[in-house]
Amino acid sequence: MPPPQDTSQPTPNELSTKHDDATSDDVTTNGWSDMSKIIHEVDERKIKDYKEDIDTFLVFAGLFSAVLTAFLVESYQGLQQDPMEVMVALMQQIAIQTYSYSLNAGFLNSTASPFPQPRIAFQPSVNAIRVNVLWFASLTLALISASFGILVKQWLREYLAGDYTSPQARLRARHYRNPGLEKWKVFEIAAMLPLLLQLSLALFFIGLCFFTADIHSSVGHTTLPLVAGWGFLFISAAFAPAFSPRCPYKTTLLKSVTKAMWKQHLSLVQ
């Protein structure tokens, strides 16, 4: 005879246990998903801010490099001897040779030297060397900062890149990558780039003071106070948070410096 079939129905306790297990699985899945979404949004907002700053920085670096190149085209000529000066010297020698001819006993003689006097090798002025050193260094720093700005954007994009099959996989990837950003100082490098460009701008302004002073003293006297005022305001704004914690003139790179200064100040007061 065939065995009897089990026709018993699950008890209410068994149904309740299965329902609780299913509910628990749904809550766990939703929790992982919500956590992954929140952390991803936080990372996106942070990286978006850095990317926007880098985009603005790259636009300014490009415009500044173009302006600086126009000045360099004019200034580097002071490092080379002007061909027109050589031509004028030769023409003067020809004129002297021509006017020195005299007719003596049927012979045409010249009392001028047939060859130009040896000249000292061309030496650029100290001011021309100074201006070109400052401006070429400024252009180099601007291009270096723009190059690293492009690299940092790629690093940040790769931090968020990836196709994940589950929230747990996204969180594991984030847990693996985030310490790398902190260890390798990616955000600190991104914060240093604007200061590098500011240093390039400062070199350009210093060279501009020498350049305008060499053109005319009045122009130099006009440029120097403006550049000095810019330098004073920039340094004051950069270090103002170190003297007032409520000062909004904060930069990412100098934030740790100001915090260390305030801790030192509080320890001395206590």
Side-chain angles (χ1 to χ4, degrees):
M1 295 179 62
Q5 297 181 355
D6 186 9
T7 59
S8 61
Q9 299 294 327
T11 63
N13 290 334
E14 293 176 346
L15 291 176
S16 177
T17 302
K18 292 181 179 180
H19 178 72
D20 292 341
D21 292 341
T23 303
S24 177
D25 292 340
D26 292 340
V27 170
T28 302
T29 302
N30 292 334
W32 282 110
S33 179
D34 292 341
M35 185 185 300
S36 174
K37 182 178 179 181
I38 292 172
I39 292 178
H40 185 67
E41 289 177 353
V42 171
D43 287 341
E44 275 191 334
R45 285 196 298 268
K46 183 177 182 180
I47 290 178
K48 181 182 178 182
D49 293 339
Y50 276 98
K51 283 186 176 181
E52 289 178 352
D53 291 343
I54 292 174
D55 288 338
T56 305
F57 157 80
L58 289 176
V59 171
F60 179 78
L63 294 175
F64 173 65
S65 299
V67 172
L68 182 54
T69 302
F71 279 91
L72 281 171
V73 170
E74 178 66 28
S75 67
Y76 91 96
Q77 298 178 7
L79 301 176
Q80 300 174 341
Q81 187 174 14
D82 190 358
M84 292 300 298
E85 293 182 359
V86 178
M87 185 176 297
V88 169
L90 292 176
M91 294 297 293
Q92 289 177 346
Q93 182 66 27
I94 293 174
I96 294 173
Q97 188 81 21
T98 302
Y99 284 111
S100 66
Y101 286 137
S102 61
L103 187 61
N104 186 10
F107 294 95
L108 187 62
N109 298 322
S110 175
T111 58
S113 175
F115 300 102
Q117 298 294 330
R119 298 191 306 273
I120 301 176
F122 172 76
Q123 292 290 338
S125 65
V126 176
N127 194 68
I129 296 175
R130 186 185 295 121
V131 169
N132 281 276
V133 166
L134 291 169
W135 282 358
F136 274 105
S138 175
L139 180 62
T140 303
L141 286 177
L143 296 178
I144 288 174
S145 59
S147 174
F148 275 100
I150 297 173
L151 282 178
V152 171
K153 283 197 67 175
Q154 293 176 348
W155 297 341
L156 296 177
R157 184 177 64 248
E158 288 299 320
Y159 172 73
L160 294 177
D163 296 329
Y164 306 103
T165 57
S166 65
Q168 292 91 330
R170 180 185 294 276
L171 290 173
R172 283 195 298 268
R174 196 262 183 188
H175 182 72
Y176 176 78
R177 293 176 178 177
N178 189 64
L181 289 181
E182 297 177 358
K183 179 181 178 181
W184 293 93
K185 308 297 183 183
V186 173
F187 293 118
E188 285 78 0
I189 293 175
M192 185 180 64
L193 296 178
L195 292 181
L196 193 63
L197 187 60
Q198 293 290 349
L199 177 60
S200 173
L201 188 62
L203 293 177
F204 169 73
F205 279 149
I206 296 172
L208 186 64
C209 292
F210 289 118
F211 183 74
T212 53
D214 190 49
I215 294 175
H216 196 276
S217 59
S218 298
V219 182
H221 293 159
T222 303
T223 306
L224 182 59
L226 296 176
V227 174
W230 168 83
F232 174 76
L233 291 176
F234 180 82
I235 295 175
S236 300
F239 290 97
F243 302 96
S244 175
R246 293 186 177 181
C247 179
Y249 306 151
K250 293 181 174 66
T251 57
T252 305
L253 188 62
L254 297 179
K255 190 180 296 183
S256 59
V257 177
T258 55
K259 286 182 179 180
M261 293 178 66
W262 269 105
K263 288 181 180 179
Q264 184 70 19
H265 174 71
L266 293 176
S267 64
L268 293 176
V269 171
Q270 295 176 352

